[in-house]
Amino acid sequence: MPLVACPVCEKDVSKRAHNCPHCGEPDPARYHTRNAWLGRLFWLLVFAGGAYYVWQVIVPMVIDLFNR
């Protein structure tokens, strides 16, 4: 069973552990940081899509309103 050092207490912890049995540090092997990265990427794409929609649809409508 591969072991890694806990970033807080520096004791050996299994790579599969969800928290350190010694100090309670959540995710000592940092497996869940990938999920956080994917979540940030998802919201970045949602924001970019919203900005594109506003630029392509809303801005021309507002310009047409003021040109009348």
Side-chain angles (χ1 to χ4, degrees):
M1 171 169 47
L3 300 175
V4 295
C6 175
V8 175
C9 67
E10 298 181 357
K11 293 184 179 178
D12 289 336
V13 181
S14 170
K15 278 188 160 186
R16 294 183 179 187
H18 291 287
N19 57 13
C20 178
H22 307 287
C23 67
E25 170 71 14
D27 194 23
R30 303 286 185 235
Y31 279 125
H32 297 289
T33 55
R34 178 176 171 213
N35 289 339
W37 182 81
L38 289 175
R40 287 187 199 111
L41 179 62
F42 170 76
W43 287 112
L44 175 67
L45 292 175
V46 168
F47 178 75
Y52 179 77
Y53 175 78
V54 166
W55 186 257
Q56 293 295 318
V57 176
I58 304 297
V59 169
M61 286 173 36
V62 170
I63 291 173
D64 285 343
L65 272 173
F66 285 113
N67 284 337
R68 288 183 183 184

